[in-house]
Amino acid sequence: MQLTHEEQNVLNGEEGPGKQKAMEILVALGKIYNATRLFPIKSVQVAGVSYNNLGDAGLEFLQQWANQNAKASVPAMLNPAGMDLKNWQNQGITKQFAEKQQDVIHAYTQMGIKPDCTCTPYLIGMQPEYGQHVAWSESSAVTYINSIIGARTNREGGPSALASAIIGKTPYYGLHLQENRQPDMLVKIKTDLKNSVEFSALGYHLGKNYPEKIPYITGIKHATQSKLKALSASIVTYGGPPLFHIENITAEAKKKTVKKPEKQNMIDEKDIKKAIQEINDSGPIDLIFLGCPHCSLEELEKIALLLKNKKVHKETWIATARKTMERAKHKGIIKPIETSGAKVVCDTCVAVTPLKGRFHGLATNSAKACYYSRGTNALHCMIGSTEKCIKIATEENNEC
Ligand code: F3S
């Protein structure tokens, strides 16, 4: 990989060990992927925030790096943490865990990363523009900004994203290159996808059956942000690459900078129903979770309407970015949710908070939440619409 004179100096340690470590990571990554050079980026989103996943080894690694005076040189935010950073008691988190989690956040803030912990930075002021190069980590966010906005990022790991934040550059390979953003297959949807669950199911079907293939999807006339978030989260979770195109909807398809492939695969109602069946497994439900990816203001508004004048009878968490929650609070959206007994949890989600042994069955509207709750927290999972999840939460003696 060709380095500039300045980059070589950083690699030689002339600007201190913190920057040197960051450059070493980027150069190693560039060599693995045959990148020819480093390329400037506009923003970073860093994964590897939950103490539940990092443990003491990860925390010490971050603290050491922070103590080497490494500082972010471009705007950077964080992925969800292992708890609501302010109301962690509300989630049943132990003091010991909370202290360790705060230490992780402290190490990141010491490095100049904003302690906004969310998988939807694009909803709280860090929205890249079309064609802009960034280095983001969280898979749903990476897929959303690549596909819907037409920004350019690979799916970074935690250390490589942090290294990019410090250097302000990323190796130039993969989805940064126009030729790698071309679709590999044409997919015609022969059914009307009604809600986010069906978009989630489409992502599951595509990811599972066509891993590594970038789809060019036709047959979708309209899709709300909520549905596109759901598709972005599930396709990449179940094996697909972090990029898809939808005719007349996603940025590069609209601008016609990608070419529609010829060979066509069909997806019909049967495929979507089968996907939903496969995502589900049965068993009693004791946790309802909405907000994967983190709820937008519109999604919170819908949930508030559904919960108005009702009481939940099961533990119910609605996850969102803290800034989205603050905006919603200002508009009076949070009160009806909390009055129902449901909890609005910020900064975190079911995939990264310690739930193992505390809950057994999850109801959610997200295929991605099912995947990680099963894997990380050993929950069995039911996927259903937002309306269905709220019904389960508010019905007494529900036998799900
Ligand atoms: Fe976000 Fe967690 Fe889902 S990071 S996309 S809410 S699994």
Side-chain angles (χ1 to χ4, degrees):
M1 193 163 71
Q2 198 71 37
L3 295 184
T4 64
H5 185 63
E6 290 77 26
E7 289 163 356
Q8 190 61 55
N9 284 346
V10 174
L11 189 62
N12 294 344
E14 287 176 29
E15 294 192 28
K19 280 182 91 170
Q20 184 180 30
K21 186 189 291 181
M23 188 59 91
E24 282 168 356
I25 290 172
L26 296 184
V27 169
L29 192 64
K31 280 186 181 161
I32 291 169
Y33 289 102
N34 288 326
T36 49
R37 61 190 162 123
L38 294 177
F39 197 80
I41 43 153
K42 292 283 181 193
S43 67
V44 171
Q45 191 249 5
V46 184
V49 182
S50 168
Y51 175 70
N52 202 37
N53 302 339
L54 285 171
D56 284 329
L59 170 59
E60 277 162 30
F61 172 79
L62 290 172
Q63 286 172 328
Q64 207 181 52
W65 207 350
N67 290 336
Q68 288 171 331
N69 212 19
K71 293 269 183 277
S73 60
V74 291
M77 286 187 185
L78 293 173
N79 212 34
M83 63 182 200
D84 185 308
L85 297 178
K86 291 199 174 146
N87 288 326
W88 48 269
Q89 292 96 335
N90 203 24
Q91 270 187 284
I93 298 289
T94 64
K95 189 164 178 279
Q96 192 191 20
F97 182 94
E99 282 171 2
K100 295 280 191 181
Q101 183 62 71
Q102 296 293 4
D103 288 346
V104 172
I105 302 297
H106 179 72
Y108 277 122
T109 48
Q110 207 182 324
M111 287 189 264
I113 318 277
K114 282 194 197 151
D116 288 310
C117 300
T118 181
C119 48
T120 57
Y122 52 87
L123 296 180
I124 60 162
M126 199 167 86
Q127 168 153 339
E129 289 169 13
Y130 176 83
Q132 218 167 53
H133 294 260
V134 300
W136 287 27
S137 297
E138 197 281 319
S139 65
S140 79
V142 164
T143 310
Y144 186 93
I145 62 166
N146 267 328
S147 309
I148 315 306
I149 299 174
R152 295 182 176 207
T153 179
N154 290 315
R155 185 177 167 184
E156 298 294 339
S160 71
L162 186 50
S164 283
I166 292 162
I167 301 296
K169 292 178 182 175
T170 190
Y172 195 51
Y173 75 97
L175 293 178
H176 291 283
L177 306 174
Q178 179 65 29
E179 63 264 31
N180 294 333
R181 302 179 66 85
Q182 294 298 324
D184 305 305
M185 63 171 195
L186 180 61
V187 178
K188 171 132 181 87
I189 310 296
K190 301 270 289 173
T191 179
D192 205 15
L193 300 174
K194 291 182 284 299
N195 54 26
S196 297
V197 170
E198 296 194 351
F199 272 79
S200 251
L202 170 63
Y204 169 92
H205 178 90
L206 289 170
K208 184 170 169 245
N209 294 301
Y210 308 102
E212 307 307 324
K213 284 215 185 298
I214 299 173
Y216 188 104
I217 303 167
T218 64
I220 296 177
K221 288 186 194 70
H222 175 71
T224 59
Q225 183 185 56
S226 184
K227 291 170 181 167
L228 294 170
K229 274 167 72 209
L231 174 57
S232 301
S234 65
I235 190 168
V236 66
T237 298
Y238 287 96
L243 175 62
F244 58 85
H245 304 288
I246 307 179
E247 191 170 50
N248 298 324
I249 292 181
T250 56
E252 284 160 299
K254 277 206 284 198
K255 287 189 187 279
K256 302 200 188 319
T257 57
V258 290
K259 201 165 160 260
K260 191 167 161 179
E262 275 165 19
K263 195 173 169 295
Q264 187 161 284
N265 295 287
M266 303 287 186
I267 293 184
D268 60 18
E269 200 183 341
K270 261 195 344 275
D271 296 312
I272 299 299
K273 281 199 172 136
K274 185 166 173 274
I276 292 174
Q277 266 171 13
E278 286 176 7
I279 297 165
N280 270 303
D281 58 35
S282 60
I285 286 159
D286 50 7
L287 177 64
I288 288 83
F289 180 83
L290 298 170
C292 172
H294 276 173
C295 282
S296 64
L297 201 60
E298 292 72 27
E299 288 167 322
L300 287 175
E301 202 159 16
K302 176 176 175 175
I303 293 165
L305 269 176
L306 290 168
L307 281 172
K308 198 171 170 192
N309 301 327
K310 294 199 180 117
K311 286 279 171 224
V312 299
H313 299 284
K314 289 186 169 64
E315 186 78 3
T316 302
W317 291 0
I318 317 294
T320 189
R322 184 165 298 281
K323 283 192 174 139
T324 307
M325 185 278 288
E326 280 159 5
R327 283 174 61 209
K329 198 172 196 174
H330 196 65
K331 285 175 163 263
I333 293 169
I334 298 299
K335 199 158 180 219
I337 299 178
E338 290 186 336
T339 307
S340 75
K343 296 172 182 173
V344 177
V345 297
C346 299
D347 321 310
T348 189
C349 80
V350 275
V352 290
T353 198
L355 294 175
K356 212 173 192 167
R358 294 174 54 207
F359 298 101
H360 303 95
L362 176 85
T364 179
N365 57 2
S366 161
K368 179 174 179 180
C370 289
Y371 181 90
Y372 283 102
S373 303
R374 222 171 255 139
T376 317
N377 281 314
L379 302 178
H380 63 79
C381 301
M382 187 226 84
I383 187 168
S385 64
T386 306
E387 289 81 354
K388 183 162 184 193
C389 290
I390 297 291
K391 193 160 179 268
I392 294 169
T394 52
E395 268 180 5
E396 279 181 83
N397 302 322
N398 192 295
E399 293 294 327
C400 283

